[in-house]
Coordinates of all heavy atoms in Angstrom, one line a residue:
M1 N -6.4 46.9 66.4 CA -5.5 46.0 67.2 C -6.0 44.6 67.1 O -5.2 43.7 67.0 CB -5.5 46.5 68.7 CG -4.5 45.7 69.5 SD -2.8 46.1 69.1 CE -2.0 45.5 70.4
R2 N -7.3 44.4 67.1 CA -7.8 43.0 67.0 C -7.4 42.3 65.7 O -7.1 41.1 65.7 CB -9.3 43.0 67.1 CG -9.8 43.1 68.5 CD -11.3 42.8 68.6 NE -11.8 43.2 69.9 CZ -13.0 43.2 70.2 NH1 -13.9 42.8 69.4 NH2 -13.4 43.5 71.4
W3 N -7.5 43.1 64.6 CA -7.1 42.5 63.3 C -5.7 42.1 63.3 O -5.3 41.1 62.7 CB -7.4 43.4 62.1 CG -6.6 44.7 62.1 CD1 -6.9 45.8 62.7 CD2 -5.4 44.8 61.4 NE1 -5.9 46.7 62.4 CE2 -4.9 46.1 61.6 CE3 -4.6 44.0 60.6 CZ2 -3.8 46.6 61.1 CZ3 -3.4 44.5 60.1 CH2 -3.0 45.8 60.4
R4 N -4.8 42.8 64.0 CA -3.4 42.4 64.0 C -3.2 41.1 64.8 O -2.4 40.2 64.4 CB -2.5 43.5 64.8 CG -2.3 44.7 63.9 CD -1.4 45.7 64.6 NE -1.3 46.9 63.8 CZ -0.7 48.0 64.3 NH1 -0.3 48.0 65.5 NH2 -0.6 49.0 63.5
L5 N -4.0 40.9 65.8 CA -3.9 39.7 66.6 C -4.4 38.5 65.7 O -3.9 37.4 65.7 CB -4.7 39.8 67.9 CG -4.1 40.7 68.9 CD1 -5.1 40.8 70.1 CD2 -2.8 40.3 69.4
A6 N -5.5 38.8 64.9 CA -6.1 37.7 64.1 C -5.1 37.4 63.0 O -4.9 36.2 62.7 CB -7.4 38.2 63.4
V7 N -4.4 38.3 62.4 CA -3.4 38.1 61.4 C -2.2 37.3 62.0 O -1.7 36.3 61.4 CB -2.9 39.4 60.7 CG1 -1.7 39.1 59.9 CG2 -4.0 40.0 59.9
R8 N -1.8 37.7 63.1 CA -0.6 37.0 63.8 C -1.0 35.6 64.1 O -0.2 34.7 63.9 CB -0.3 37.8 65.1 CG 1.2 37.6 65.5 CD 1.6 38.5 66.6 NE 1.9 39.8 66.1 CZ 1.9 40.9 66.8 NH1 1.6 40.9 68.1 NH2 2.2 42.1 66.3
A9 N -2.2 35.4 64.6 CA -2.7 34.0 64.9 C -2.8 33.1 63.7 O -2.4 32.0 63.7 CB -4.0 34.1 65.7
A10 N -3.3 33.7 62.6 CA -3.4 32.9 61.4 C -2.1 32.6 60.8 O -1.8 31.5 60.3 CB -4.2 33.7 60.3
A11 N -1.1 33.5 60.9 CA 0.2 33.3 60.4 C 0.9 32.2 61.2 O 1.6 31.3 60.7 CB 1.0 34.6 60.4
T12 N 0.7 32.2 62.5 CA 1.3 31.2 63.4 C 0.8 29.9 63.1 O 1.5 28.9 63.0 CB 1.1 31.6 64.9 OG1 1.7 32.9 65.1 CG2 1.7 30.6 65.8
E13 N -0.5 29.8 62.9 CA -1.2 28.5 62.6 C -0.7 28.0 61.2 O -0.5 26.8 61.0 CB -2.7 28.7 62.5 CG -3.5 27.5 62.2 CD -5.0 27.7 62.1 OE1 -5.5 28.7 62.7 OE2 -5.6 27.0 61.4
T14 N -0.6 28.9 60.2 CA -0.1 28.5 58.9 C 1.3 27.9 59.0 O 1.6 26.9 58.4 CB -0.1 29.7 58.0 OG1 -1.5 30.1 57.8 CG2 0.4 29.3 56.6
R15 N 2.2 28.6 59.7 CA 3.6 28.1 59.9 C 3.6 26.7 60.5 O 4.4 25.9 60.1 CB 4.4 29.1 60.7 CG 4.9 30.3 59.9 CD 5.9 31.1 60.6 NE 5.4 31.7 61.8 CZ 4.8 32.9 61.9 NH1 4.7 33.6 60.8 NH2 4.4 33.4 63.1
A16 N 2.8 26.5 61.5 CA 2.7 25.2 62.2 C 2.2 24.1 61.2 O 2.8 23.0 61.2 CB 1.8 25.3 63.4
R17 N 1.2 24.5 60.3 CA 0.8 23.5 59.4 C 1.8 23.2 58.3 O 2.0 22.0 57.9 CB -0.5 24.0 58.7 CG -1.7 23.7 59.5 CD -3.0 23.8 58.7 NE -3.0 25.1 57.9 CZ -3.8 26.1 58.2 NH1 -4.7 26.0 59.2 NH2 -3.8 27.1 57.4
V18 N 2.6 24.2 57.9 CA 3.6 24.0 56.9 C 4.7 23.1 57.5 O 5.2 22.2 56.8 CB 4.2 25.3 56.4 CG1 5.4 25.1 55.5 CG2 3.1 26.1 55.6
R19 N 5.1 23.4 58.7 CA 6.1 22.6 59.3 C 5.7 21.1 59.5 O 6.5 20.2 59.4 CB 6.5 23.1 60.7 CG 7.4 24.3 60.7 CD 7.9 24.7 62.0 NE 8.1 26.1 62.1 CZ 7.3 27.0 62.8 NH1 6.4 26.5 63.6 NH2 7.6 28.2 62.7
A20 N 4.4 20.9 59.7 CA 3.8 19.6 59.9 C 3.6 18.9 58.5 O 3.1 17.8 58.5 CB 2.6 19.6 60.7
G21 N 3.8 19.6 57.4 CA 3.6 19.0 56.1 C 2.2 19.1 55.6 O 1.8 18.4 54.7
R22 N 1.3 19.9 56.3 CA -0.1 20.0 55.9 C -0.4 21.4 55.3 O -1.6 21.7 55.2 CB -1.0 19.7 57.1 CG -0.8 18.3 57.7 CD -1.8 18.1 58.8 NE -1.8 19.2 59.7 CZ -1.3 19.3 60.9 NH1 -0.5 18.3 61.3 NH2 -1.4 20.4 61.7
G23 N 0.6 22.2 55.0 CA 0.3 23.6 54.7 C -0.1 23.8 53.2 O -0.7 24.8 52.9
A24 N 0.2 22.9 52.3 CA -0.1 23.1 50.9 C -0.9 22.0 50.4 O -0.7 20.8 50.7 CB 1.2 23.3 50.2
H25 N -1.8 22.3 49.5 CA -2.5 21.3 48.8 C -1.8 20.9 47.5 O -1.1 21.8 47.0 CB -3.9 21.8 48.4 CG -4.7 22.2 49.6 ND1 -5.2 21.3 50.5 CD2 -5.0 23.4 50.1 CE1 -5.8 22.0 51.5 NE2 -5.7 23.3 51.3
T26 N -1.9 19.8 47.0 CA -1.2 19.4 45.8 C -1.7 20.2 44.6 O -2.9 20.4 44.5 CB -1.2 17.9 45.5 OG1 -2.6 17.5 45.4 CG2 -0.6 17.1 46.6
A27 N -0.9 20.5 43.7 CA -1.2 21.3 42.5 C -1.5 20.3 41.4 O -1.0 19.2 41.4 CB -0.1 22.2 42.1
S28 N -2.4 20.7 40.5 CA -2.7 19.8 39.3 C -1.6 19.9 38.3 O -0.7 20.7 38.4 CB -4.0 20.2 38.7 OG -4.0 21.6 38.3
A29 N -1.6 19.0 37.3 CA -0.7 19.1 36.2 C -0.8 20.4 35.5 O -1.9 21.0 35.4 CB -0.9 17.9 35.3
P30 N 0.3 20.9 35.0 CA 0.3 22.2 34.3 C -0.6 22.1 33.0 O -0.6 21.1 32.4 CB 1.7 22.6 34.0 CG 2.5 21.3 34.1 CD 1.7 20.4 35.0
L31 N -1.2 23.2 32.7 CA -1.9 23.3 31.4 C -0.9 23.7 30.3 O -0.1 24.6 30.5 CB -3.0 24.4 31.5 CG -3.8 24.8 30.3 CD1 -4.6 23.6 29.9 CD2 -4.6 26.0 30.6
V32 N -0.9 22.9 29.2 CA 0.1 23.2 28.1 C -0.7 23.5 26.9 O -1.6 22.7 26.5 CB 1.0 22.0 27.9 CG1 2.0 22.2 26.8 CG2 1.7 21.7 29.2
V33 N -0.4 24.6 26.2 CA -1.0 25.0 25.0 C 0.1 25.1 23.9 O 1.1 25.7 24.1 CB -1.7 26.3 25.1 CG1 -2.3 26.8 23.8 CG2 -2.8 26.3 26.2
G34 N -0.1 24.4 22.7 CA 0.8 24.5 21.6 C 2.0 23.5 21.8 O 2.1 22.9 22.9
P35 N 2.9 23.5 20.9 CA 2.8 24.1 19.6 C 1.8 23.4 18.7 O 1.4 22.3 19.0 CB 4.2 23.9 19.1 CG 4.8 22.8 19.8 CD 4.1 22.7 21.1
H36 N 1.4 24.1 17.7 CA 0.4 23.5 16.8 C 0.9 22.3 16.0 O 2.1 22.1 15.8 CB 0.0 24.6 15.7 CG -0.8 25.7 16.3 ND1 -2.1 25.8 16.2 CD2 -0.4 26.8 17.1 CE1 -2.6 26.9 16.8 NE2 -1.5 27.5 17.4
A37 N 0.0 21.4 15.7 CA 0.4 20.2 15.0 C 1.1 20.5 13.6 O 0.7 21.4 12.9 CB -0.9 19.4 14.7
G38 N 2.2 19.8 13.4 CA 2.9 20.0 12.2 C 3.9 21.2 12.2 O 4.5 21.5 11.2
V39 N 3.9 21.9 13.3 CA 4.8 23.1 13.4 C 5.9 22.7 14.4 O 5.7 22.1 15.5 CB 4.0 24.3 13.9 CG1 5.0 25.5 14.1 CG2 2.9 24.7 13.0
E40 N 7.2 23.0 14.0 CA 8.3 22.7 14.9 C 8.3 23.5 16.2 O 8.0 24.7 16.1 CB 9.6 22.9 14.2 CG 10.8 22.5 14.9 CD 12.1 22.7 14.1 OE1 12.0 22.8 12.9 OE2 13.2 22.7 14.8
H41 N 8.6 22.9 17.3 CA 8.6 23.6 18.6 C 9.9 24.5 18.6 O 11.0 24.1 18.4 CB 8.7 22.6 19.7 CG 8.9 23.3 21.1 ND1 9.8 22.8 22.0 CD2 8.2 24.3 21.6 CE1 9.7 23.6 23.1 NE2 8.8 24.5 22.9
E42 N 9.6 25.8 18.7 CA 10.7 26.8 18.6 C 11.1 27.4 20.0 O 12.3 27.6 20.3 CB 10.3 28.0 17.7 CG 10.1 27.6 16.3 CD 9.5 28.7 15.4 OE1 9.2 29.8 16.0 OE2 9.2 28.5 14.3
N43 N 10.1 27.6 20.8 CA 10.4 28.1 22.2 C 9.2 27.9 23.1 O 8.2 27.4 22.7 CB 10.7 29.7 22.1 CG 9.6 30.4 21.2 OD1 8.5 30.2 21.4 ND2 10.1 31.1 20.2
S44 N 9.5 28.2 24.4 CA 8.4 28.0 25.4 C 8.3 29.2 26.2 O 9.2 30.0 26.5 CB 8.8 26.8 26.3 OG 8.9 25.6 25.6
V45 N 7.0 29.4 26.7 CA 6.7 30.5 27.6 C 6.0 29.9 28.8 O 5.1 29.1 28.7 CB 5.8 31.5 27.0 CG1 5.3 32.6 28.0 CG2 6.4 32.2 25.8
V46 N 6.5 30.2 30.0 CA 5.9 29.7 31.3 C 5.2 30.9 31.9 O 5.8 31.9 32.2 CB 7.0 29.1 32.2 CG1 6.3 28.7 33.5 CG2 7.8 28.0 31.6
F47 N 3.9 30.8 32.1 CA 3.1 31.8 32.7 C 2.9 31.5 34.2 O 2.4 30.4 34.5 CB 1.7 31.8 32.0 CG 1.3 32.9 31.2 CD1 1.6 32.9 29.8 CD2 0.7 34.0 31.7 CE1 1.3 34.0 29.1 CE2 0.4 35.1 31.0 CZ 0.7 35.1 29.6
L48 N 3.2 32.4 35.0 CA 3.0 32.2 36.5 C 1.9 33.1 36.9 O 2.0 34.3 36.7 CB 4.3 32.5 37.2 CG 5.5 31.6 36.8 CD1 6.8 32.1 37.6 CD2 5.2 30.2 37.0
H49 N 0.9 32.6 37.6 CA -0.2 33.4 38.0 C 0.0 34.0 39.4 O 1.0 33.7 40.1 CB -1.5 32.5 38.1 CG -1.4 31.4 39.1 ND1 -1.6 31.6 40.4 CD2 -1.2 30.1 38.9 CE1 -1.5 30.4 41.0 NE2 -1.2 29.5 40.1
G50 N -0.8 34.9 39.8 CA -0.7 35.6 41.0 C -1.5 35.0 42.1 O -2.2 33.9 41.9
L51 N -1.5 35.6 43.3 CA -2.2 35.1 44.4 C -3.7 35.0 44.2 O -4.4 35.9 43.7 CB -2.0 36.1 45.6 CG -2.7 35.8 46.9 CD1 -2.1 34.5 47.5 CD2 -2.5 36.9 47.9
G52 N -4.3 33.8 44.4 CA -5.7 33.5 44.3 C -6.1 33.1 42.9 O -7.3 32.9 42.7
D53 N -5.2 33.0 42.0 CA -5.6 32.7 40.6 C -5.1 31.3 40.3 O -4.5 30.6 41.1 CB -4.9 33.7 39.6 CG -5.7 33.8 38.3 OD1 -6.6 33.0 38.1 OD2 -5.4 34.7 37.5
T54 N -5.4 30.8 39.1 CA -5.0 29.5 38.6 C -4.6 29.6 37.2 O -4.7 30.6 36.5 CB -6.1 28.4 38.8 OG1 -7.2 28.8 37.9 CG2 -6.7 28.3 40.2
A55 N -4.1 28.4 36.7 CA -3.7 28.4 35.2 C -4.9 28.7 34.4 O -4.8 29.3 33.3 CB -3.1 27.0 34.9
A56 N -6.1 28.3 34.8 CA -7.3 28.5 34.0 C -7.6 30.0 33.7 O -8.2 30.3 32.7 CB -8.5 27.9 34.6
G57 N -7.1 30.8 34.6 CA -7.3 32.3 34.5 C -6.5 32.8 33.3 O -6.9 33.9 32.8
F58 N -5.5 32.1 32.8 CA -4.7 32.6 31.7 C -4.8 31.7 30.4 O -4.1 31.9 29.4 CB -3.2 32.7 32.1 CG -3.0 33.8 33.0 CD1 -2.9 33.6 34.4 CD2 -2.8 35.1 32.6 CE1 -2.7 34.6 35.3 CE2 -2.5 36.1 33.5 CZ -2.5 35.9 34.8
E59 N -5.7 30.7 30.5 CA -5.9 29.8 29.4 C -6.3 30.5 28.1 O -5.7 30.3 27.0 CB -6.9 28.7 29.7 CG -7.0 27.7 28.6 CD -7.9 26.5 29.0 OE1 -8.6 26.6 30.0 OE2 -8.0 25.6 28.2
A60 N -7.2 31.4 28.1 CA -7.7 32.2 26.9 C -6.5 33.0 26.3 O -6.4 33.1 25.1 CB -8.9 33.1 27.3
V61 N -5.7 33.6 27.2 CA -4.6 34.4 26.7 C -3.6 33.5 26.0 O -3.1 33.8 25.0 CB -3.9 35.1 27.9 CG1 -2.6 35.8 27.5 CG2 -4.8 36.1 28.6
A62 N -3.3 32.3 26.6 CA -2.4 31.4 26.0 C -2.9 30.9 24.6 O -2.1 30.8 23.6 CB -2.1 30.2 26.9
H63 N -4.1 30.6 24.5 CA -4.7 30.2 23.2 C -4.6 31.4 22.2 O -4.3 31.2 21.0 CB -6.1 29.7 23.3 CG -6.2 28.3 23.9 ND1 -5.9 27.2 23.2 CD2 -6.6 27.9 25.1 CE1 -6.1 26.1 23.9 NE2 -6.5 26.5 25.1
H64 N -4.9 32.6 22.6 CA -4.8 33.8 21.8 C -3.4 33.9 21.2 O -3.2 34.1 20.0 CB -5.3 35.0 22.6 CG -5.2 36.3 21.8 ND1 -6.1 36.6 20.9 CD2 -4.3 37.2 21.9 CE1 -5.8 37.8 20.4 NE2 -4.7 38.2 21.0
W65 N -2.4 33.9 22.1 CA -1.0 34.0 21.7 C -0.6 32.9 20.9 O 0.2 33.0 19.9 CB -0.1 34.3 22.9 CG -0.3 35.6 23.5 CD1 -1.0 36.7 23.0 CD2 0.4 36.1 24.6 NE1 -0.9 37.8 23.8 CE2 0.0 37.5 24.8 CE3 1.4 35.6 25.4 CZ2 0.5 38.2 25.8 CZ3 1.9 36.4 26.5 CH2 1.5 37.7 26.6
S66 N -1.0 31.7 21.2 CA -0.6 30.5 20.4 C -1.0 30.6 19.0 O -0.3 30.1 18.1 CB -1.2 29.2 21.1 OG -0.9 28.1 20.4
A67 N -2.2 31.2 18.7 CA -2.6 31.3 17.3 C -1.7 32.2 16.5 O -1.5 32.1 15.3 CB -4.0 31.9 17.3
R68 N -1.0 33.2 17.2 CA -0.1 34.1 16.6 C 1.3 33.6 16.6 O 2.2 34.1 15.8 CB -0.2 35.5 17.2 CG -1.5 36.2 16.8 CD -1.9 37.2 17.8 NE -3.2 37.8 17.4 CZ -4.4 37.3 17.5 NH1 -4.5 36.1 17.9 NH2 -5.5 38.0 17.2
M69 N 1.6 32.7 17.5 CA 3.0 32.1 17.6 C 2.8 30.6 17.6 O 3.0 29.9 18.6 CB 3.6 32.6 18.9 CG 3.9 34.1 18.9 SD 4.7 34.6 20.4 CE 3.3 34.9 21.5
P70 N 2.6 30.0 16.4 CA 2.3 28.5 16.4 C 3.4 27.6 16.8 O 3.1 26.5 17.2 CB 1.9 28.3 14.9 CG 2.5 29.5 14.2 CD 2.5 30.6 15.1
G71 N 4.7 28.1 16.8 CA 5.8 27.2 17.2 C 6.1 27.3 18.7 O 7.1 26.8 19.2
T72 N 5.3 28.1 19.5 CA 5.5 28.3 20.9 C 4.7 27.4 21.8 O 3.5 27.3 21.5 CB 5.3 29.8 21.2 OG1 6.1 30.6 20.4 CG2 5.6 30.1 22.7
R73 N 5.3 26.8 22.8 CA 4.6 26.1 23.8 C 4.4 27.0 25.0 O 5.3 27.6 25.5 CB 5.4 24.8 24.2 CG 4.7 24.1 25.4 CD 5.5 22.9 25.8 NE 5.5 21.9 24.7 CZ 6.6 21.3 24.3 NH1 7.8 21.5 24.8 NH2 6.5 20.4 23.3
F74 N 3.1 27.1 25.4 CA 2.8 27.8 26.6 C 2.5 26.9 27.8 O 1.6 26.0 27.6 CB 1.5 28.7 26.4 CG 1.8 29.8 25.4 CD1 1.6 29.6 24.0 CD2 2.3 31.0 25.8 CE1 1.9 30.6 23.1 CE2 2.6 32.0 24.8 CZ 2.4 31.8 23.5
V75 N 3.2 27.0 28.8 CA 3.1 26.2 30.0 C 2.5 27.0 31.1 O 3.1 28.0 31.5 CB 4.4 25.6 30.4 CG1 4.2 24.6 31.6 CG2 5.1 24.8 29.3
L76 N 1.3 26.6 31.7 CA 0.6 27.3 32.7 C 0.5 26.4 33.9 O -0.5 25.7 34.1 CB -0.7 27.8 32.2 CG -0.7 28.8 31.0 CD1 -0.7 28.0 29.7 CD2 -1.8 29.7 31.1
P77 N 1.4 26.5 34.9 CA 1.3 25.7 36.1 C 0.3 26.4 37.1 O 0.1 27.6 37.0 CB 2.7 25.6 36.7 CG 3.3 26.9 36.1 CD 2.7 27.1 34.8
T78 N -0.3 25.6 37.9 CA -1.1 26.1 39.0 C -0.4 25.8 40.3 O -0.1 24.7 40.6 CB -2.5 25.4 39.0 OG1 -3.2 25.8 37.8 CG2 -3.3 25.9 40.2
A79 N -0.1 26.9 41.0 CA 0.6 26.7 42.3 C -0.3 26.1 43.3 O -1.5 26.2 43.3 CB 1.0 28.1 42.8
P80 N 0.3 25.4 44.3 CA -0.4 24.8 45.4 C -1.2 25.9 46.2 O -0.7 27.1 46.2 CB 0.6 24.2 46.3 CG 1.8 24.1 45.5 CD 1.8 25.2 44.4
T81 N -2.3 25.6 46.7 CA -3.1 26.5 47.5 C -2.6 26.4 48.9 O -2.4 25.3 49.5 CB -4.6 26.1 47.5 OG1 -5.0 26.1 46.1 CG2 -5.4 27.1 48.3
R82 N -2.3 27.6 49.5 CA -1.9 27.6 50.9 C -2.4 28.9 51.5 O -2.5 29.9 50.9 CB -0.4 27.4 51.1 CG 0.5 28.5 50.6 CD 1.9 28.3 51.0 NE 2.4 26.9 50.9 CZ 3.6 26.5 51.0 NH1 4.5 27.4 51.3 NH2 3.9 25.3 50.9
P83 N -2.8 28.8 52.8 CA -3.3 30.0 53.4 C -2.2 31.1 53.6 O -1.0 30.7 53.8 CB -3.8 29.5 54.8 CG -3.4 28.1 54.9 CD -2.8 27.7 53.6
V84 N -2.6 32.3 53.5 CA -1.6 33.4 53.6 C -2.1 34.4 54.6 O -3.3 34.6 54.7 CB -1.3 34.1 52.3 CG1 -0.6 33.2 51.3 CG2 -2.5 34.6 51.6
S85 N -1.2 35.1 55.3 CA -1.7 36.0 56.4 C -2.4 37.2 55.7 O -3.2 37.8 56.4 CB -0.5 36.5 57.2 OG 0.5 37.1 56.4
L86 N -2.1 37.6 54.5 CA -2.7 38.7 53.8 C -4.2 38.5 53.8 O -5.0 39.4 53.9 CB -2.2 38.8 52.4 CG -2.9 39.8 51.5 CD1 -2.5 41.2 52.0 CD2 -2.5 39.7 50.1
N87 N -4.7 37.2 53.6 CA -6.1 36.9 53.6 C -6.6 36.3 54.9 O -7.5 35.5 54.9 CB -6.3 35.8 52.5 CG -6.2 36.4 51.1 OD1 -6.2 37.6 50.9 ND2 -5.9 35.6 50.1
F88 N -5.9 36.7 56.0 CA -6.3 36.2 57.3 C -6.3 34.7 57.4 O -7.2 34.1 58.1 CB -7.7 36.8 57.8 CG -7.6 38.3 57.8 CD1 -8.2 39.1 56.8 CD2 -7.0 38.9 58.9 CE1 -8.1 40.4 56.9 CE2 -6.9 40.3 58.9 CZ -7.5 41.1 57.9
G89 N -5.4 34.1 56.7 CA -5.2 32.6 56.8 C -6.1 31.8 55.8 O -6.0 30.6 55.8
H90 N -6.8 32.5 55.0 CA -7.6 31.8 54.0 C -6.8 31.6 52.7 O -6.0 32.5 52.4 CB -8.9 32.6 53.7 CG -9.8 32.7 54.9 ND1 -10.5 31.7 55.4 CD2 -10.0 33.8 55.7 CE1 -11.2 32.1 56.4 NE2 -10.9 33.4 56.6
P91 N -7.1 30.6 51.9 CA -6.3 30.4 50.7 C -6.7 31.4 49.6 O -7.6 32.1 49.7 CB -6.8 29.0 50.2 CG -7.6 28.4 51.2 CD -7.9 29.5 52.2

């Protein structure tokens, strides 16, 4: 029962910070890999990471795939960090 109260309190605090404009930290510029020099840009892939990860977590994958698809641009944005009730209000 205590953990439910802690989760509820953290969620309430998070909602209040978001409403006040303080809930999210600014995200950095997206990481872009490819297309290779001298190769025409044919298509783009946007990689979206999951909770607790960043674009850097997929950078090696993007470079690996870029070597096999030289005309593809891989865009890896990093989402803003914000506390979530799943993590008891921690980012």
Side-chain angles (χ1 to χ4, degrees):
M1 184 71 167
R2 280 189 192 178
W3 67 270
R4 286 184 184 170
L5 294 175
V7 169
R8 205 172 280 159
T12 301
E13 181 184 333
T14 299
R15 282 192 295 272
R17 279 198 307 254
V18 169
R19 281 190 214 114
R22 299 184 314 258
H25 304 286
T26 57
S28 59
L31 176 66
V32 179
V33 177
H36 290 258
V39 178
E40 185 178 343
H41 176 227
E42 298 171 359
N43 46 52
S44 296
V45 174
V46 179
F47 248 92
L48 302 177
H49 63 79
L51 180 64
D53 207 349
T54 65
F58 290 95
E59 184 176 8
V61 173
H63 283 288
H64 177 79
W65 284 0
S66 179
R68 286 156 182 75
M69 296 181 272
T72 302
R73 174 181 294 135
F74 293 89
V75 181
L76 297 91
T78 295
T81 303
R82 68 174 40 176
V84 293
S85 60
L86 175 72
N87 291 340
F88 299 101
H90 299 286

